[in-house]
Amino acid sequence: MAETMIEIRNLKMQFGDNEVLKDINFSVAKGEVVCIIGASGSGKSTLLRCTNLLERATGGQIIFNGVDLLDSKVHPLELTKEMGMVFQSFNLFSNMTVLKNCMVGQTTVLKRSPQEAKEKALKYLEHVGMAQYINAKPHQLSGGQQQRVAIARALAMDPQVMLFDEPTSALDPEMVGEVLKVIRGLANTGLTMLIVTHEMAFARDVADRVVFMADGVIVEEGTPEVIFNNPTNKRTKAFLNRILNDK
């Protein structure tokens, strides 16, 4: 059995009276690629943001490498810096060049020297095909290019796991492919990844496991073959029929 990297136990999240996550339980093994699918408002992004403490869950446990991040005695920053995060809207610093965007987290959080941070940034910018844009500012780049820089920035922190929150949802259709190609390549390296996505063909292609969420609960999970070809839950079937027939 592969070692468990993330284990979510009885996770709950409420905003006022709105219960967004209801008793969520699932785990991610080291080297596994898990895609989370579901309609807007199903709790997918909230689950991802709770996992790395961008949102503070109101109940349950988030166990990362054997440590409960919600334990009041734990200093979570030391652990959450091992999780890379790629957002829908890139979240690059607009006043910094591409290179500086990929260095700043390394120097401030990991305390790397500027030279080491630069070497690491250049390595990953090359990896995502953005090395020639190191002196550009974000506004000079397309959405697809900005997202590739955001991926390089996250990778430069040498995370143990990468979290992707709808990484293509803010992109024009012709730019989606270039970003998915990068993520597909990462999946082939054995990097542990948790991906919230609405790209069903991509999820079918790269995921080891697919999790379908609706109304704040996990309705069904399984291999892509099972979820896409032979789902057992009627809500999963209805969601996929609607999504795949809209394409």
Side-chain angles (χ1 to χ4, degrees):
M1 286 288 289
E3 142 191 13
T4 299
M5 185 168 281
I6 299 171
E7 187 170 0
I8 308 286
R9 295 180 185 167
N10 308 115
L11 197 71
K12 298 177 179 66
M13 183 65 186
Q14 277 187 248
F15 296 104
D17 293 333
N18 185 19
E19 198 176 12
V20 181
L21 298 177
K22 306 166 188 173
D23 204 29
I24 297 285
N25 291 276
F26 84 109
S27 61
V28 181
K30 185 173 184 179
E32 190 177 25
V33 178
V34 177
C35 284
I36 304 175
I37 63 172
S40 296
S42 59
K44 309 183 303 294
S45 291
T46 301
L47 174 57
L48 209 64
R49 293 172 67 83
C50 285
T51 300
N52 72 349
L53 305 186
L54 286 174
E55 304 277 6
R56 188 83 182 181
T58 46
Q61 293 177 293
I62 301 165
I63 298 166
F64 178 52
N65 284 337
V67 178
D68 182 5
L69 299 183
L70 297 180
D71 186 330
S72 59
K73 298 186 285 293
V74 168
H75 295 289
L77 183 62
E78 281 305 303
L79 293 158
T80 54
K81 70 184 183 185
E82 300 285 353
M83 296 185 191
M85 181 81 174
V86 176
F87 300 88
Q88 297 179 33
S89 52
F90 327 132
N91 286 24
L92 299 176
F93 295 110
S94 60
N95 61 329
M96 293 184 186
T97 64
V98 163
L99 183 60
K100 287 289 186 188
N101 262 285
C102 293
M103 289 175 60
V104 64
Q106 298 184 67
T107 54
T108 56
V109 177
L110 301 182
K111 308 302 181 191
R112 286 178 180 158
S113 69
Q115 184 57 37
E116 186 184 2
K118 183 177 180 180
E119 288 172 7
K120 188 77 73 169
L122 289 172
K123 171 186 171 183
Y124 285 109
L125 286 166
E126 180 76 40
H127 186 77
V128 301
M130 290 299 295
Q132 68 268 44
Y133 296 98
I134 59 171
N135 296 316
K137 295 281 184 68
H139 73 270
Q140 297 172 302
L141 304 174
S142 72
Q145 289 171 328
Q146 289 186 61
Q147 194 62 293
R148 284 189 281 154
V149 171
I151 293 170
R153 176 180 62 179
L155 290 171
M157 301 290 284
D158 289 328
Q160 293 186 37
V161 59
M162 284 282 283
L163 310 178
F164 292 88
D165 185 12
E166 296 272 19
T168 60
S169 66
L171 301 179
D172 293 331
E174 65 269 20
M175 295 173 187
V176 169
E178 66 187 63
V179 172
L180 293 183
K181 182 180 176 184
V182 169
I183 301 172
R184 206 174 253 114
L186 294 176
N188 293 334
T189 68
L191 181 63
T192 309
M193 297 198 286
L194 187 55
I195 306 168
V196 170
T197 185
H198 61 279
E199 300 286 346
M200 297 300 128
F202 169 74
R204 187 197 294 258
D205 192 27
V206 305
D208 297 304
R209 187 156 44 98
V210 176
V211 173
F212 170 61
M213 288 185 68
D215 297 327
V217 299
I218 291 176
V219 175
E220 188 170 359
E221 60 179 301
T223 64
E225 187 172 283
V226 167
I227 295 298
F228 289 108
N229 297 341
N230 194 27
T232 58
N233 189 283
K234 63 182 181 182
R235 296 189 71 179
T236 314
K237 291 176 185 176
F239 169 77
L240 289 171
N241 282 336
R242 190 171 68 250
I243 290 291
L244 297 175
N245 290 334
D246 282 348
K247 294 295 182 190

